[in-house]
Amino acid sequence: MTSARTLHVAVAVAKRSLRVAYTNPAIALPSILFPMIFLVGFAGGLSAIDDVPGFDFPSGYTAFQYVFVFLQSAAFGGVFTGFAIARDFEFGFAKRLLLAAPHRGGIVLGYVFAGLGRWALTASVITVAALLAGMQVGGGVVDLFGLVGLGLMVNMIATLWGTGVAMRLRTVQAGPLMQMPVFVILFLAPVYVPLDLLSGWIHTVASFNPATAFVQAGRGFISGRPDLVAVAYAVAASMVAIAAVWALGGLRRAEREI
């Protein structure tokens, strides 16, 4: 019964969050436009990298960059959900929600559902755009499910991170704190070229960056040559668990202070 009530709260929170997002263009459009700008800028403006000696990605540079933008959109879909939570606190809705919800863990779960729902539209748009641009897909159905599953986990990590920050600070001014760590981690991965073509300190940092495993596994999926799958999923699962503890800690703090 408790689980059913928690799920009921989660579904209600998700529906309300998605309705607010998709009826307000100022909220919905940035999460779609930013990945599109990156896809056009990276895959189009840097396509000459495909001819660099040592770059031998079988599906071409558009697919190479698509995977990064796909995972980036998953992460920033979660961050934008964190922004929405902060707005809910500033406008008083979250306070009423904490007082009314019988099972408050469902609030965090609901925001996770909302983050996944927001990202589903963005992922669909950038995938269609990449295919129209001539992206070659070497992976099969199982590989593509693997890529989507990885994106879902990245979205959950970012949503839970943003939830924890938003519930602790409860102001939209916390936006940079939600965004900057995610941005830095993503762009210290092998964004423009494979890891083997990086050198110096950026190669060292990228080698230990968890986002590198996500990007490399995703590119393996899209090319039909799976790579680091077990590592990527193990790291993602660990990060989801840690981020969930962080988010629930934020929920408990919000309960005490409101």
Side-chain angles (χ1 to χ4, degrees), residues 63-177:
F64 184 85
Q65 281 300 341
Y66 163 78
V67 170
F68 176 78
V69 174
F70 182 81
L71 296 176
Q72 180 200 50
S73 71
F76 276 89
V79 169
F80 282 120
T81 301
F83 293 172
I85 298 170
R87 282 193 296 270
D88 283 346
F89 275 103
E90 286 205 342
F91 286 104
F93 172 77
K95 182 177 181 179
R96 296 194 300 272
L97 184 61
L98 286 169
L99 294 173
H103 297 277
R104 292 171 178 171
I107 297 174
V108 172
L109 183 59
Y111 283 123
V112 170
F113 288 166
L116 294 172
R118 289 174 65 125
W119 177 60
L121 176 60
T122 303
S124 299
V125 170
I126 63 173
T127 298
V128 170
L131 291 171
L132 290 175
M135 179 176 69
Q136 301 174 37
V137 179
V141 174
V142 174
D143 295 312
L144 297 181
F145 271 112
L147 176 59
V148 171
L150 194 58
L152 292 175
M153 296 182 78
V154 170
N155 179 265
M156 291 172 63
I157 294 166
T159 299
L160 291 167
W161 160 253
T163 299
V165 174
M167 289 193 170
R168 282 172 170 81
L169 301 182
R170 299 182 292 281
T171 171
V172 293
Q173 294 180 9
L177 183 57

Side-chain angles (χ1 to χ4, degrees), residues 14-72:
K15 285 183 176 179
R16 185 262 177 189
S17 183
L18 290 172
R19 183 171 62 250
V20 170
Y22 289 130
T23 56
N24 188 338
I27 296 175
L29 287 179
S31 63
I32 297 174
L33 290 179
F34 287 167
M36 287 294 296
I37 291 171
F38 281 119
L39 180 64
V40 172
F42 292 170
L46 300 175
S47 58
I49 293 177
D50 204 4
D51 299 323
V52 170
F55 186 91
D56 57 356
F57 191 68
S59 295
Y61 199 69
T62 299
F64 184 85
Q65 281 300 341
Y66 163 78
V67 170
F68 176 78
V69 174
F70 182 81
L71 296 176
Q72 180 200 50

